[in-house]
Amino acid sequence: ISPNLTSLRRFFPEASRQICRTFPASWPRLCLDKILIYPEPVGIRRHAVSTSLARSASDHLPLVAEFPAAEFPATEADERPSV
């Protein structure tokens, strides 16, 4: 684990868990890729996209995180009317 990721463990405890194997794309064995969200929302789901297109596009599989948008409070930018 890189020193940068090690120092972030206290804020992102989930980052140290092996959640999704993403590397190498042809036969994923390692959990190299991370999505860091603070604070971590309740109900987050993570998965790697393992289609033939994804495996041929990169040596890493795409990592996806899905979570309820209601977990994050509205910001000032969200409240501005669109033009």
Side-chain angles (χ1 to χ4, degrees), residues 12-65:
F12 302 101
E14 293 293 316
S16 60
R17 285 187 38 219
Q18 293 199 5
I19 297 171
C20 295
R21 294 177 181 176
T22 58
F23 181 83
S26 58
W27 188 41
R29 293 179 300 264
L30 302 173
C31 303
L32 295 181
D33 303 290
K34 310 290 182 198
I35 297 175
L36 304 176
I37 305 169
Y38 185 82
E40 181 151 332
V42 175
I44 191 167
R45 294 182 308 168
R46 298 174 183 90
H47 65 277
V49 177
S50 185
T51 64
S52 59
L53 178 60
R55 287 189 299 276
S56 65
S58 175
D59 59 343
H60 291 252
L61 293 177
L63 183 58
V64 176

